[in-house]
Amino acid sequence: ERRVIENYELTDRQVIVYLGNVSRERPVALDYRLTAQCPIRAQAPPSVAYAYSHPETRSLAAPVEIVVTKGRR
């Protein structure tokens, strides 16, 4: 709706999302779905968000545990 995703990149282990028009007054929530290929229990690494032009201004989210009980058929 707000078109805040300006670009994205997919790698073997990451999704890198470039956001625009982000401010403290208008937080952004990203909703997405993933399809598992096999059952797994893993810990995702920390996530970091920062201004491309000011990488020293950043926010870090703690790692989270991911548990998948069923894979794709």
Side-chain angles (χ1 to χ4, degrees):
E1 194 175 290
R2 287 174 41 202
R3 299 184 185 269
V4 294
I5 297 177
E6 292 183 354
N7 198 5
Y8 66 92
E9 297 177 33
L10 300 175
T11 71
D12 290 338
R13 299 178 54 91
Q14 296 176 315
V15 177
I16 302 169
V17 180
Y18 298 91
L19 303 175
N21 301 320
V22 177
S23 71
R24 291 182 189 178
E25 293 77 32
R26 296 183 69 192
V28 175
L30 299 176
D31 295 321
Y32 60 93
R33 294 177 188 258
L34 303 173
T35 301
Q37 295 181 347
C38 59
I40 190 169
R41 172 180 233 111
Q43 183 164 332
S47 296
V48 64
Y50 59 90
Y52 189 77
S53 57
H54 301 286
E56 67 279 0
T57 304
R58 58 181 53 224
S59 180
L60 186 66
V64 295
E65 183 179 45
I66 298 170
V67 178
V68 177
T69 55
K70 292 183 179 180
R72 181 174 32 180
R73 292 182 179 178

